[in-house]
Amino acid sequence: MTAKLKVGIVGGTGMVGQRFVQLLDQHPWFEVTTIAASAGSAGKTYEEAVQGRWKLSSPIPEAVKGIIVQDASKVEAVAAQVDFIFCAVDMGKYEVQALEDAYAKTGTPVVSNNSAHRWTPDIPMVIPEINPGHLEVIAAQRKRLGTSTGFIAVKPNCSIQSYVPALHALQAYNPTQVVASTYQAISGAGKNFTDWPEMLDNVIPYIGGEEEKSEQEPLRIWGSVVNNEIVKASAPLITTQCIRVPVTDGHLATVFVSFENKPSKEEVLHHWLTFKGRPQELGLPSAPKQFITYFEEENRPQTKLDRDIERGMGVSVGRLREDSIYDYKFVGLSHNTLRGAAGGAVLIAELLKAEGYIQAK
């Protein structure tokens, strides 16, 4: 058995960082050896640093409790100890870009949960089942950054995972117009009900920046590589509304879609149920065996019942019906901190390892 790759988590004390810690415990390929965070947490054990701030229902994994948290800004020191990093920091866009660039320039691959580099032309933004081919721009990115081994790859916005896979499975019919409303869990804001009691018995019809991301990021995922840059697709036309609802985890979407060539309902269901991507072909450890699950029941998928399908890495779809204005309407659901955040990033790292982009230093 080959040795596991040494992983650093930069931003390891926040909610997404905690998910990384949880998901990587006992991972067959990766081992968390380094955790970095703000200067205020540096020097403490991980257990001390998250005391009173641990947001997950499962306990802190024993393997990381005693790790001494390092200062994330000490890039050279952190990078020297790891084969690659996950980055999930709470900083401004330009600060994040500078930090991730600095890590990549040390020769360290960066798999980012942040939004700062999602539109950098030579940085791939990946849903592994959908656009693994975008990884080819890494060669040009490495040349720009002046490194033979470092690079940055990013995970897209969590809310689009609930409907983009279902639409992608139907790309052969050329979707032309999409209307989507997302009903998003409070963990998407890095919070739970203890630290956001105002969300109890409440709905907030606005999430800053989320609608623009939900409308534009799918087009980049469906884009093409042209002259070593990713050029976004011009269709479908997407409009969204994004709403915060009082649930812990799980982003649900209601979707209306029209096609250039309308498929039958039987064709839609066939494509959903048989869709497989590169992670399924490779048998990656975090890949769901059934990427898209369709529920025949009229009242499914439900956030509480179905968000954990395929260990939170699958996408659930239901209520497929013909529509009086659009061709079809349906409901989609994904787990926002698993498939949508840390789990999605772990799957990207697995794909990068399997394709030879991440190796032991």
Side-chain angles (χ1 to χ4, degrees):
M1 179 178 171
T2 57
K4 293 183 181 183
L5 294 177
K6 294 181 289 185
V7 178
I9 303 174
V10 176
T13 58
M15 179 176 274
V16 174
Q18 292 174 22
R19 276 288 190 198
F20 278 122
V21 165
Q22 177 196 55
L23 290 172
L24 294 169
D25 188 38
Q26 308 298 317
H27 191 281
W29 295 359
F30 307 144
E31 180 181 2
V32 177
T33 60
T34 304
I35 298 175
S38 66
S41 294
K44 301 176 182 178
T45 67
Y46 186 68
E47 186 176 28
E48 291 168 342
V50 298
Q51 187 172 13
R53 299 169 54 198
W54 185 256
K55 296 179 184 290
L56 306 183
S57 57
S58 59
I60 304 168
E62 291 294 328
V64 301
K65 283 184 176 180
I67 291 178
I68 303 299
V69 178
Q70 301 188 41
D71 186 339
S73 67
K74 309 294 186 184
V75 172
E76 294 281 351
V78 174
Q81 301 171 49
V82 300
D83 295 315
F84 74 98
I85 67 165
F86 291 107
C87 191
V89 294
D90 185 10
M91 299 164 62
K93 175 181 177 179
Y94 298 110
E95 293 175 294
V96 173
Q97 287 180 340
L99 184 69
E100 293 181 346
D101 285 355
Y103 274 100
K105 287 176 180 178
T106 69
T108 304
V110 177
V111 180
S112 177
N113 194 75
N114 305 300
S115 63
H117 267 309
R118 287 181 188 160
W119 288 93
T120 303
D122 61 6
I123 290 180
M125 179 174 70
V126 179
I127 296 177
E129 286 90 349
I130 294 177
N131 61 329
H134 286 190
L135 297 181
E136 69 180 70
V137 300
I138 287 173
Q141 183 198 147
R142 282 171 165 166
K143 188 174 182 180
R144 173 176 63 83
L145 293 173
T147 174
S148 61
T149 55
F151 63 88
I152 303 163
V154 302
K155 178 205 68 63
N157 192 46
C158 53
S159 69
I160 71 171
Q161 319 275 335
S162 57
Y163 58 92
V164 165
L167 294 173
H168 181 74
L170 306 174
Q171 283 292 298
Y173 303 98
N174 294 330
T176 56
Q177 291 184 306
V178 175
V179 178
S181 292
T182 57
Y183 302 85
Q184 301 185 203
I186 63 173
S187 57
K191 298 182 180 182
N192 57 28
F193 287 117
T194 301
D195 49 28
W196 202 1
E198 298 85 358
M199 274 307 303
L200 285 166
D201 192 31
N202 195 21
V203 168
I204 298 176
Y206 172 73
I207 306 172
E210 200 76 0
E211 288 164 2
E212 180 182 6
K213 295 174 186 176
S214 297
E215 293 169 359
Q216 294 299 315
E217 288 187 16
L219 299 178
R220 188 167 199 257
I221 289 167
W222 288 321
S224 304
V225 177
V226 180
N227 297 325
N228 296 316
E229 296 184 349
I230 297 163
V231 177
K232 75 174 187 178
S234 58
L237 182 65
I238 305 172
T239 184
T240 66
Q241 293 196 95
C242 299
I243 297 168
R244 188 74 70 193
V245 294
V247 298
T248 53
D249 297 301
H251 288 354
L252 185 141
T254 59
V255 184
F256 300 80
V257 57
S258 287
F259 298 90
E260 185 177 315
N261 304 300
K262 181 182 177 181
S264 68
K265 185 176 180 180
E266 291 72 25
E267 288 172 323
V268 172
L269 293 174
H270 171 76
H271 285 287
W272 282 347
L273 295 173
T274 60
F275 181 80
K276 295 183 185 300
R278 190 73 176 134
Q280 287 73 36
E281 294 170 2
L282 293 169
L284 299 180
S286 298
K289 287 184 171 58
Q290 182 66 39
F291 184 33
I292 301 172
T293 296
Y294 184 77
F295 286 96
E296 296 286 353
E297 298 92 330
E298 289 185 345
N299 63 347
R300 303 282 287 278
Q302 291 182 26
T303 301
K304 191 172 184 178
L305 294 179
D306 303 313
R307 60 193 170 201
D308 292 318
I309 199 163
E310 293 278 356
R311 297 163 292 129
M313 292 298 290
V315 175
S316 301
V317 184
R319 302 204 68 210
L320 176 66
R321 295 151 291 152
E322 293 200 46
D323 185 64
S324 57
I325 298 175
Y326 296 87
D327 287 336
Y328 288 105
K329 51 192 171 187
F330 63 88
V331 174
L333 172 69
S334 62
H335 195 301
N336 58 298
T337 66
L338 293 172
R339 165 56 73 165
V346 170
L347 187 60
I348 291 170
E350 293 170 358
L351 176 65
L352 288 163
K353 177 189 181 299
E355 303 286 18
Y357 290 96
I358 293 178
Q359 300 177 4
K361 285 185 177 177

